[in-house]
Amino acid sequence: MDTFKSLLLIIISSALVNNIILSQFQGLCPFLGVSKKTDTAVGMGVAVIFVITLSSFVTSLIYRFILKPNGLDYLKTIAFILIIAALVQFVEMFLKKNIPTLYQALGVFLPLITTNCAVLGAALTNVESGYGILQSVFNGLGTAVGFTIAIVLLSSIRESIEDNDIPRNFKGSPIVLITSGLMAIAFMGFSGMIS
């Protein structure tokens, strides 16, 4: 029961309390770029869930069984980047073949998952926190769910304020950044959940 409780705390902590976007400010490029439409944001969120969860598993295995035992800890960043790039290519090929409309909607932002610091940040957080393989997978899943929650919330807000009477100086990026800041403040309320 303690294992289940600790895994649940890892997911809640990484999704809400330490949200990768709104608390750690990683992954802002797709957050701001893909959040114009909810459908696209959901698609990006699902792709990120798959990539971060799988990369957390694979990077944890490689770190635990190859890098650390052989004293190659210093290569973790390079190895993790290569693993993430390969996984993103796999997702891109899958979407291009099976869901071409989502592939076209995501456009340039799909390859940007490779350079999305949220993916690399989750893998490095797993190593730095000393998580085992199962804990790494759950932290990756929670991180990706937090990313998806943030991007879908922002896209919903952006769609609903699109037709509002916004002062000319605040239209476009300024209102999006203000909205993101208010979301970050709101997510600070989750910090008291886990102690």
Side-chain angles (χ1 to χ4, degrees), residues 15 22 30 46-47 54 59 64-65 94 144 157 167 179 195:
L22 301 174
V46 170
L54 191 59
T59 55
R64 173 166 250 177
F65 295 113
F94 176 80
I157 294 169
T179 304
S195 53

Side-chain angles (χ1 to χ4, degrees), residues 34-162:
V34 183
S35 61
K36 292 179 183 174
K37 300 289 179 200
T38 305
D39 296 344
T40 311
V42 169
M44 176 61 98
V46 170
V48 167
I49 286 173
F50 178 76
V51 170
I52 289 182
T53 304
L54 191 59
S55 70
S56 292
F57 174 70
V58 175
T59 55
S60 181
L61 283 175
I62 288 178
Y63 181 78
R64 173 166 250 177
F65 295 113
I66 296 174
L67 297 178
K68 192 171 183 181
N70 294 313
L72 301 172
D73 294 13
Y74 60 92
L75 292 176
K76 68 182 173 220
T77 304
I78 295 170
F80 293 175
I81 289 171
L82 292 173
I83 292 165
I84 291 165
L87 290 172
V88 170
Q89 289 301 311
F90 172 72
V91 170
E92 189 172 359
M93 289 186 303
F94 176 80
L95 289 178
K96 188 174 185 178
K97 183 176 180 173
N98 296 315
I99 313 173
T101 54
L102 180 58
Y103 175 78
Q104 290 174 348
L106 291 174
V108 71
F109 292 102
L110 188 58
L112 284 178
I113 294 176
T114 304
T115 59
N116 185 347
C117 58
V119 182
L120 180 60
L124 292 174
T125 298
N126 292 333
V127 170
E128 291 168 7
S129 299
Y131 289 153
I133 294 169
L134 187 61
Q135 293 168 321
S136 294
V137 170
F138 276 82
N139 184 56
L141 178 63
T143 299
V145 167
F147 178 92
T148 304
I149 289 169
I151 197 169
V152 169
L153 278 174
L154 182 63
S155 67
S156 300
I157 294 169
R158 285 179 78 171
E159 283 183 354
S160 66
I161 66 172
E162 190 173 280

